[in-house]
Coordinates of all heavy atoms in Angstrom, one line a residue:
M1 N 10.5 -14.0 52.0 CA 9.3 -14.7 51.9 C 9.5 -16.0 51.0 O 10.1 -15.9 50.0 CB 8.2 -13.9 51.2 CG 7.8 -12.7 52.0 SD 6.1 -13.1 52.5 CE 5.9 -12.0 53.8
N2 N 8.9 -17.0 51.5 CA 9.1 -18.3 50.7 C 7.7 -18.8 50.4 O 7.0 -19.4 51.2 CB 9.8 -19.3 51.6 CG 10.2 -20.5 50.8 OD1 10.0 -20.6 49.6 ND2 10.7 -21.6 51.4
C3 N 7.2 -18.4 49.2 CA 5.8 -18.9 48.8 C 5.9 -19.3 47.4 O 6.8 -18.9 46.6 CB 4.8 -17.7 49.0 SG 5.2 -16.3 48.0
R4 N 5.0 -20.2 47.0 CA 4.9 -20.7 45.6 C 3.7 -20.2 44.9 O 2.6 -20.0 45.6 CB 4.9 -22.2 45.7 CG 6.2 -22.8 46.2 CD 6.2 -24.3 46.0 NE 7.4 -24.8 46.6 CZ 7.8 -26.0 46.6 NH1 7.0 -26.9 46.0 NH2 8.9 -26.4 47.1
R5 N 3.8 -20.2 43.6 CA 2.6 -19.8 42.8 C 1.6 -21.0 42.8 O 2.0 -22.1 43.0 CB 3.0 -19.5 41.4 CG 3.9 -18.3 41.3 CD 4.2 -18.0 39.8 NE 4.9 -19.2 39.2 CZ 4.6 -19.7 38.1 NH1 3.5 -19.3 37.4 NH2 5.2 -20.7 37.6
H6 N 0.4 -20.6 42.5 CA -0.7 -21.7 42.4 C -0.4 -22.5 41.1 O 0.0 -21.9 40.1 CB -2.0 -21.0 42.3 CG -3.1 -22.0 42.1 ND1 -3.5 -22.9 43.1 CD2 -3.9 -22.3 41.0 CE1 -4.5 -23.7 42.6 NE2 -4.7 -23.3 41.3
G7 N -0.5 -23.8 41.2 CA -0.2 -24.6 40.0 C 1.2 -25.0 39.8 O 1.7 -25.3 38.7
S8 N 2.0 -24.9 40.9 CA 3.4 -25.2 40.8 C 3.6 -26.7 40.6 O 2.7 -27.5 40.9 CB 4.2 -24.7 42.0 OG 3.7 -25.3 43.2
K9 N 4.8 -27.2 40.3 CA 5.0 -28.6 40.0 C 4.7 -29.5 41.2 O 4.1 -30.6 41.0 CB 6.4 -28.8 39.5 CG 6.6 -28.3 38.1 CD 8.0 -28.6 37.6 CE 8.1 -28.0 36.2 NZ 9.4 -28.3 35.7
P10 N 5.1 -29.2 42.4 CA 4.7 -30.1 43.5 C 3.2 -30.3 43.7 O 2.7 -31.4 44.0 CB 5.3 -29.5 44.8 CG 6.4 -28.7 44.2 CD 6.0 -28.2 42.9
T11 N 2.4 -29.3 43.5 CA 1.0 -29.4 43.6 C 0.5 -30.3 42.5 O -0.4 -31.2 42.7 CB 0.3 -28.0 43.5 OG1 0.9 -27.2 44.5 CG2 -1.2 -28.1 43.7
L12 N 0.9 -30.1 41.3 CA 0.5 -30.9 40.1 C 0.9 -32.4 40.3 O 0.1 -33.3 40.1 CB 1.1 -30.4 38.8 CG 0.8 -31.1 37.6 CD1 -0.7 -31.0 37.3 CD2 1.5 -30.5 36.4
A13 N 2.1 -32.6 40.9 CA 2.6 -34.0 41.1 C 1.7 -34.6 42.2 O 1.4 -35.8 42.1 CB 4.0 -34.0 41.6
L14 N 1.3 -33.9 43.2 CA 0.4 -34.4 44.2 C -0.9 -34.9 43.6 O -1.4 -36.0 43.9 CB 0.2 -33.4 45.3 CG -0.8 -33.8 46.4 CD1 -0.2 -35.1 47.2 CD2 -1.0 -32.7 47.4
W15 N -1.5 -34.0 42.8 CA -2.8 -34.4 42.2 C -2.7 -35.6 41.2 O -3.6 -36.4 41.1 CB -3.4 -33.2 41.5 CG -4.0 -32.3 42.5 CD1 -3.6 -31.0 42.8 CD2 -5.2 -32.5 43.3 NE1 -4.4 -30.5 43.7 CE2 -5.4 -31.4 44.1 CE3 -6.0 -33.6 43.4 CZ2 -6.4 -31.3 45.0 CZ3 -7.1 -33.5 44.4 CH2 -7.3 -32.4 45.1
M16 N -1.5 -35.7 40.5 CA -1.3 -36.8 39.7 C -1.2 -38.1 40.5 O -1.7 -39.2 40.1 CB 0.0 -36.6 38.8 CG -0.2 -35.6 37.8 SD -1.5 -35.9 36.6 CE -0.8 -37.3 35.8
L17 N -0.5 -38.0 41.6 CA -0.5 -39.2 42.5 C -1.8 -39.6 43.0 O -2.2 -40.8 43.1 CB 0.5 -38.8 43.7 CG 0.8 -39.9 44.7 CD1 1.5 -41.1 44.0 CD2 1.6 -39.4 45.8
V18 N -2.7 -38.6 43.4 CA -4.1 -38.9 43.8 C -4.8 -39.5 42.7 O -5.6 -40.5 42.9 CB -4.7 -37.6 44.3 CG1 -6.2 -37.8 44.5 CG2 -4.1 -37.1 45.5
A19 N -4.6 -39.1 41.4 CA -5.3 -39.7 40.3 C -4.9 -41.1 40.1 O -5.7 -42.0 39.8 CB -5.1 -38.8 39.0
V20 N -3.6 -41.4 40.2 CA -3.1 -42.8 40.0 C -3.7 -43.7 41.1 O -4.1 -44.8 40.9 CB -1.6 -42.8 40.0 CG1 -1.1 -44.2 40.1 CG2 -1.1 -42.1 38.7
A21 N -3.8 -43.1 42.3 CA -4.3 -43.9 43.4 C -5.8 -44.2 43.2 O -6.3 -45.3 43.5 CB -4.1 -43.2 44.8
D22 N -6.5 -43.2 42.7 CA -7.9 -43.4 42.4 C -8.1 -44.5 41.3 O -9.0 -45.4 41.4 CB -8.6 -42.1 41.9 CG -8.8 -41.2 43.0 OD1 -8.7 -41.6 44.2 OD2 -9.0 -40.0 42.7
L23 N -7.3 -44.5 40.3 CA -7.4 -45.5 39.2 C -7.1 -46.9 39.8 O -7.7 -47.9 39.5 CB -6.4 -45.2 38.1 CG -6.8 -44.1 37.1 CD1 -5.8 -43.8 36.1 CD2 -8.1 -44.6 36.4
A24 N -6.1 -47.0 40.7 CA -5.7 -48.3 41.3 C -6.9 -48.8 42.1 O -7.2 -50.0 42.1 CB -4.5 -48.1 42.2
I25 N -7.6 -47.9 42.9 CA -8.8 -48.3 43.6 C -9.9 -48.8 42.7 O -10.5 -49.8 43.0 CB -9.2 -47.2 44.6 CG1 -8.2 -47.0 45.7 CG2 -10.6 -47.5 45.2 CD1 -8.4 -45.7 46.5
L26 N -10.1 -48.1 41.6 CA -11.2 -48.5 40.7 C -10.9 -49.8 40.1 O -11.8 -50.7 39.9 CB -11.4 -47.4 39.6 CG -12.1 -46.1 40.1 CD1 -12.1 -45.1 39.0 CD2 -13.5 -46.5 40.5
I27 N -9.6 -50.0 39.7 CA -9.2 -51.3 39.0 C -9.4 -52.5 40.0 O -9.9 -53.5 39.7 CB -7.8 -51.2 38.5 CG1 -7.8 -50.3 37.2 CG2 -7.3 -52.6 38.1 CD1 -6.5 -50.1 36.6
A28 N -9.0 -52.2 41.3 CA -9.1 -53.3 42.3 C -10.6 -53.6 42.6 O -10.9 -54.7 42.8 CB -8.4 -52.8 43.6
A29 N -11.4 -52.6 42.5 CA -12.8 -52.8 42.8 C -13.5 -53.5 41.6 O -14.5 -54.3 41.8 CB -13.5 -51.5 43.1
A30 N -13.0 -53.3 40.4 CA -13.6 -53.8 39.2 C -13.3 -55.3 39.0 O -14.1 -56.1 38.5 CB -13.2 -53.1 37.9
G31 N -12.2 -55.7 39.5 CA -11.8 -57.1 39.3 C -10.7 -57.3 38.3 O -10.4 -56.4 37.5
P32 N -10.0 -58.5 38.4 CA -8.8 -58.7 37.5 C -9.2 -58.8 36.0 O -8.4 -58.4 35.2 CB -8.2 -60.0 38.1 CG -9.4 -60.7 38.8 CD -10.3 -59.6 39.3
V33 N -10.3 -59.4 35.7 CA -10.7 -59.5 34.3 C -10.9 -58.2 33.6 O -10.3 -57.9 32.5 CB -11.9 -60.4 34.1 CG1 -12.4 -60.5 32.7 CG2 -11.7 -61.8 34.7
L34 N -11.6 -57.3 34.3 CA -11.8 -56.0 33.7 C -10.5 -55.2 33.7 O -10.3 -54.4 32.7 CB -12.9 -55.2 34.5 CG -13.3 -53.9 33.9 CD1 -13.9 -54.1 32.5 CD2 -14.3 -53.3 34.8
A35 N -9.7 -55.4 34.7 CA -8.4 -54.7 34.7 C -7.5 -55.2 33.5 O -6.9 -54.4 32.8 CB -7.7 -55.0 36.0
F36 N -7.5 -56.5 33.2 CA -6.7 -57.0 32.1 C -7.3 -56.5 30.8 O -6.5 -56.1 29.9 CB -6.8 -58.5 32.1 CG -6.1 -59.1 30.9 CD1 -4.8 -59.2 30.8 CD2 -6.9 -59.6 29.9 CE1 -4.2 -59.7 29.7 CE2 -6.3 -60.2 28.7 CZ -4.9 -60.2 28.6
L37 N -8.6 -56.4 30.6 CA -9.2 -55.9 29.4 C -8.9 -54.4 29.2 O -8.6 -54.0 28.1 CB -10.7 -56.1 29.4 CG -11.2 -57.5 29.3 CD1 -12.7 -57.6 29.4 CD2 -10.7 -58.1 27.9
L38 N -8.9 -53.7 30.3 CA -8.5 -52.3 30.3 C -7.1 -52.0 29.8 O -6.8 -51.2 29.0 CB -8.8 -51.6 31.6 CG -8.5 -50.1 31.7 CD1 -9.5 -49.3 30.8 CD2 -8.7 -49.6 33.1
V39 N -6.2 -52.8 30.4 CA -4.7 -52.7 30.1 C -4.5 -53.1 28.6 O -3.8 -52.5 27.9 CB -3.9 -53.5 31.0 CG1 -2.4 -53.6 30.6 CG2 -3.9 -52.9 32.4
A40 N -5.2 -54.2 28.2 CA -5.1 -54.6 26.8 C -5.6 -53.5 25.8 O -5.0 -53.3 24.8 CB -5.8 -55.9 26.6
A41 N -6.7 -52.9 26.2 CA -7.3 -51.9 25.3 C -6.3 -50.7 25.2 O -6.1 -50.1 24.2 CB -8.7 -51.5 25.8
L42 N -5.8 -50.3 26.4 CA -4.8 -49.2 26.4 C -3.6 -49.5 25.5 O -3.1 -48.6 24.8 CB -4.4 -48.8 27.8 CG -5.5 -48.1 28.6 CD1 -5.0 -47.9 30.1 CD2 -5.8 -46.8 28.0
A43 N -3.1 -50.7 25.6 CA -1.9 -51.1 24.8 C -2.3 -51.1 23.3 O -1.4 -50.6 22.5 CB -1.5 -52.5 25.2
V44 N -3.5 -51.5 22.9 CA -3.9 -51.5 21.5 C -4.0 -50.0 21.0 O -3.5 -49.7 19.9 CB -5.2 -52.2 21.3 CG1 -5.8 -52.0 19.9 CG2 -5.0 -53.7 21.5
V45 N -4.6 -49.2 21.8 CA -4.7 -47.8 21.4 C -3.3 -47.1 21.3 O -3.1 -46.4 20.4 CB -5.6 -47.0 22.5 CG1 -5.5 -45.5 22.2 CG2 -7.0 -47.5 22.4
A46 N -2.4 -47.4 22.3 CA -1.1 -46.8 22.2 C -0.3 -47.3 21.0 O 0.3 -46.5 20.3 CB -0.3 -47.1 23.5
G47 N -0.5 -48.6 20.7 CA 0.2 -49.1 19.5 C -0.4 -48.5 18.2 O 0.4 -48.2 17.3
G48 N -1.7 -48.3 18.2 CA -2.3 -47.6 17.0 C -1.8 -46.2 16.8 O -1.6 -45.8 15.7
V49 N -1.7 -45.5 17.9 CA -1.2 -44.1 17.8 C 0.2 -44.1 17.3 O 0.6 -43.2 16.5 CB -1.4 -43.4 19.2 CG1 -0.6 -42.1 19.2 CG2 -2.8 -43.2 19.5
L50 N 1.1 -44.9 17.9 CA 2.5 -45.0 17.4 C 2.6 -45.4 16.0 O 3.4 -44.8 15.2 CB 3.3 -45.9 18.3 CG 3.6 -45.4 19.7 CD1 4.3 -46.5 20.5 CD2 4.4 -44.2 19.6
A51 N 1.8 -46.3 15.5 CA 1.8 -46.8 14.1 C 1.3 -45.6 13.2 O 1.9 -45.4 12.2 CB 1.0 -48.0 13.9
F52 N 0.3 -44.9 13.6 CA -0.2 -43.8 12.8 C 0.8 -42.7 12.7 O 1.0 -42.1 11.6 CB -1.5 -43.3 13.5 CG -2.1 -42.1 12.7 CD1 -2.7 -42.3 11.5 CD2 -2.0 -40.8 13.3 CE1 -3.3 -41.2 10.8 CE2 -2.5 -39.7 12.6 CZ -3.2 -39.9 11.4
R53 N 1.5 -42.4 13.8 CA 2.5 -41.3 13.8 C 3.7 -41.7 12.9 O 4.3 -40.9 12.2 CB 3.0 -41.0 15.2 CG 2.0 -40.3 16.0 CD 2.5 -39.9 17.3 NE 3.6 -39.0 17.2 CZ 4.5 -38.8 18.2 NH1 4.4 -39.4 19.3 NH2 5.5 -38.0 18.0
N54 N 4.1 -43.0 12.9 CA 5.2 -43.4 12.1 C 4.9 -43.5 10.7 O 5.7 -43.3 9.8 CB 5.7 -44.8 12.6 CG 6.5 -44.7 13.9 OD1 7.0 -43.6 14.2 ND2 6.6 -45.7 14.7
L55 N 3.7 -43.9 10.3 CA 3.3 -44.0 8.9 C 3.1 -42.6 8.3 O 3.3 -42.4 7.1 CB 2.0 -44.8 8.8 CG 2.2 -46.3 9.0 CD1 0.8 -47.0 9.0 CD2 3.1 -46.9 8.0
R56 N 2.7 -41.6 9.1 CA 2.4 -40.3 8.6 C 3.7 -39.5 8.4 O 3.7 -38.6 7.6 CB 1.5 -39.5 9.6 CG 0.4 -38.8 8.9 CD -0.4 -38.1 9.9 NE 0.4 -37.0 10.5 CZ 0.1 -36.5 11.7 NH1 -0.9 -36.8 12.4 NH2 0.9 -35.5 12.1
R57 N 4.8 -39.8 9.1 CA 6.0 -39.1 9.0 C 6.6 -39.3 7.6 O 6.8 -40.4 7.2 CB 7.0 -39.5 10.1 CG 8.2 -38.8 10.2 CD 9.1 -39.2 11.3 NE 8.4 -39.2 12.5 CZ 8.7 -40.0 13.6 NH1 9.7 -40.8 13.5 NH2 8.0 -39.9 14.7
P58 N 7.0 -38.2 6.9 CA 7.7 -38.4 5.6 C 9.0 -39.0 5.8 O 9.8 -38.7 6.7 CB 7.7 -37.0 5.1 CG 7.7 -36.1 6.3 CD 6.8 -36.8 7.3
R59 N 9.4 -39.9 4.9 CA 10.7 -40.5 4.9 C 11.7 -39.6 4.3 O 11.5 -39.0 3.3 CB 10.6 -41.8 4.1 CG 9.6 -42.8 4.6 CD 10.2 -43.6 5.7 NE 9.2 -44.6 6.2 CZ 8.9 -44.8 7.4 NH1 9.5 -44.1 8.4 NH2 8.1 -45.7 7.8
P60 N 12.9 -39.6 4.9 CA 14.0 -38.7 4.3 C 14.5 -39.4 3.1 O 14.5 -40.6 2.9 CB 15.0 -38.7 5.4 CG 14.7 -39.9 6.3 CD 13.3 -40.2 6.2
E61 N 14.9 -38.5 2.1 CA 15.5 -39.0 0.9 C 16.9 -39.6 1.1 O 17.6 -39.0 1.9 CB 15.5 -37.9 -0.2 CG 14.2 -37.4 -0.6 CD 14.3 -36.4 -1.7 OE1 15.3 -36.3 -2.3 OE2 13.3 -35.7 -1.9
P62 N 17.2 -40.7 0.4 CA 18.6 -41.2 0.7 C 19.6 -40.2 0.2 O 19.5 -39.5 -0.8 CB 18.6 -42.5 -0.2 CG 17.4 -42.4 -1.1 CD 16.4 -41.4 -0.5
V63 N 20.7 -40.2 0.9 CA 21.8 -39.3 0.6 C 22.8 -40.0 -0.3 O 23.2 -41.2 -0.1 CB 22.6 -38.9 1.9 CG1 23.7 -38.0 1.6 CG2 21.6 -38.2 2.8
K64 N 23.2 -39.3 -1.4 CA 24.1 -39.9 -2.4 C 25.5 -39.9 -1.7 O 26.0 -38.8 -1.3 CB 24.1 -39.2 -3.7 CG 22.9 -39.4 -4.5 CD 23.1 -38.7 -5.8 CE 21.8 -38.9 -6.7 NZ 21.9 -38.2 -8.0
V65 N 26.2 -41.0 -1.8 CA 27.6 -41.0 -1.2 C 28.5 -40.8 -2.4 O 28.5 -41.6 -3.4 CB 27.8 -42.4 -0.5 CG1 29.3 -42.4 0.0 CG2 26.8 -42.5 0.6
V66 N 29.4 -39.8 -2.3 CA 30.4 -39.6 -3.4 C 31.7 -40.0 -2.8 O 32.2 -39.5 -1.8 CB 30.4 -38.1 -3.7 CG1 31.4 -37.8 -4.8 CG2 29.0 -37.6 -4.2
A67 N 32.3 -41.0 -3.5 CA 33.6 -41.5 -3.1 C 34.7 -40.7 -3.9 O 34.7 -40.5 -5.1 CB 33.8 -43.0 -3.5
R68 N 35.6 -40.1 -3.1 CA 36.6 -39.2 -3.7 C 38.0 -39.9 -3.5 O 38.2 -40.4 -2.4 CB 36.6 -37.8 -3.1 CG 35.3 -37.1 -3.4 CD 35.4 -35.7 -3.0 NE 34.1 -35.1 -3.3 CZ 34.0 -33.8 -3.4 NH1 35.0 -33.0 -3.1 NH2 32.8 -33.2 -3.7
R69 N 38.8 -39.8 -4.5 CA 40.1 -40.4 -4.4 C 41.1 -39.3 -4.0 O 41.0 -38.1 -4.4 CB 40.6 -41.0 -5.7 CG 39.7 -42.2 -6.0 CD 40.0 -42.8 -7.4 NE 41.5 -42.8 -7.7 CZ 41.9 -43.1 -8.8 NH1 41.2 -43.6 -9.8 NH2 43.2 -43.1 -9.0
R70 N 42.1 -39.6 -3.2 CA 43.1 -38.7 -2.8 C 44.1 -38.5 -4.0 O 44.4 -39.4 -4.7 CB 43.8 -39.1 -1.6 CG 42.9 -39.1 -0.4 CD 43.7 -39.5 0.8 NE 42.8 -39.5 2.0 CZ 43.1 -39.1 3.2 NH1 44.4 -38.8 3.4 NH2 42.2 -39.1 4.1
A71 N 44.6 -37.3 -4.1 CA 45.6 -37.0 -5.1 C 46.9 -37.6 -4.8 O 47.4 -37.8 -3.7 CB 45.7 -35.5 -5.4

């Protein structure tokens, strides 16, 4: 028997493709100005999230380098 479980990866990929196509249709219907503003807003939000994550991450302490001489 060759059957797949519900929610397998090909099904999820198909629905993601449908969602991307729906977004493309909505952006085309809205017009280029609204599409540009939407892309700019998404870029600002993504940049803010990345900056927040980088600022919240604790910095590692510097490692002391010990120089040893050979005998």
